């Protein structure tokens, strides 16, 4: 009599156990396309006489998909396709005249498509592509050091 694959109960148990272990390993492995969480505390490494210096994490994530939680500052106008994400709820938009005045607890969010804005006291999670460096929006004149582009958000 020839022995077939998985003919004994022990062989079947090892096989099923191996399948379950493989499935768990695949499930626990982060997706390459998944975004990386970034917090406001991780944005800057230090403040020097030259201003804010980006953290090594921000430098590493520049151009990559990230997720951040915070609050939506009131937009400058209702039809805007961008808003400011803040660490704490704010009653007024923290619009800056130059990047030298840039607060260390805000990020500009450029939406991939128009969305309905939420109340400033509602916590949201934003996902999109991180972009660092001084940039002036040609349409609004808004100056920013950090941006999340091609973004979308949802309430937490």
């Amino acid at each position: 009599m020839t022995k077939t694959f998985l003919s004994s109960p022990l062989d079947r148990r090892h096989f099923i156990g191996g399948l379950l272990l493989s499935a768990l390993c695949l499930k626990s492995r982060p997706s390459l396309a998944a975004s990386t969480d970034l917090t406001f505390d991780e944005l800057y490494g230090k403040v020097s006489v030259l201003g804010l210096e980006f953290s090594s994490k921000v430098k590493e994530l520049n151009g990559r998909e990230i997720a951040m939680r915070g609050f939506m500052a009131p937009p400058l106008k209702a039809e805007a396709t961008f808003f400011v994400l803040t660490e704490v709820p704010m009653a007024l938009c923290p619009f800056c005249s130059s990047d030298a005045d840039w607060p260390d607890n805000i990020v500009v969010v450029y939406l991939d498509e128009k969305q309905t804005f939420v109340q400033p006291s509602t916590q949201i999670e934003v996902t999109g592509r991180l972009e660092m460096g001084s940039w002036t929006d040609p349409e609004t004149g808004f100056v920013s050091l950090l941006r999340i582009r091609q973004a979308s958000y949802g309430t937490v």
Side-chain angles (χ1 to χ4, degrees), residues 81-83 108-112 135-137 140 142 144 147-152:
T81 56
F82 77 95
F83 65 90
V108 179
V109 176
Y110 287 92
L111 300 170
D112 197 25
W135 184 74
T136 304
D137 186 314
T140 63
F142 192 89
S144 62
R147 292 155 302 285
I148 302 175
R149 295 218 182 252
Q150 301 164 337
S152 62

Side-chain angles (χ1 to χ4, degrees), residues 20 31 34 43 67 99 117 119 145:
L20 290 174
S31 167
L43 296 180
D99 60 5
F117 293 125
Q119 293 297 316
L145 282 180

Side-chain angles (χ1 to χ4, degrees), residues 2-92:
T2 59
K3 191 173 181 180
T4 60
F5 181 66
L6 302 178
S7 61
S8 76
L10 187 57
D11 288 341
R12 283 191 290 269
R13 275 187 251 153
H14 280 111
F15 180 73
I16 291 170
L19 282 177
L20 290 174
L21 184 60
S22 296
L24 284 173
C25 287
L26 287 174
K27 183 176 173 109
S28 66
R29 192 173 149 223
S31 167
L32 295 176
S35 58
T36 301
D37 289 339
L38 184 63
T39 66
F40 284 96
D41 291 339
E42 298 172 316
L43 296 180
Y44 300 97
K46 66 180 180 179
V47 180
S48 70
V49 292
L50 300 175
L52 296 169
E53 183 180 302
F54 295 116
S55 71
S56 56
K57 185 170 183 177
V58 165
K59 291 174 185 175
E60 177 187 319
L61 293 174
N62 187 34
R64 293 179 47 200
E65 187 82 12
I66 61 138
M68 279 190 83
R69 287 188 177 192
F71 300 89
M72 182 184 293
L76 295 173
K77 51 186 181 176
E79 68 277 0
T81 56
F82 77 95
F83 65 90
V84 175
L85 184 70
T86 63
E87 184 175 20
V88 295
M90 294 187 151
L92 300 171

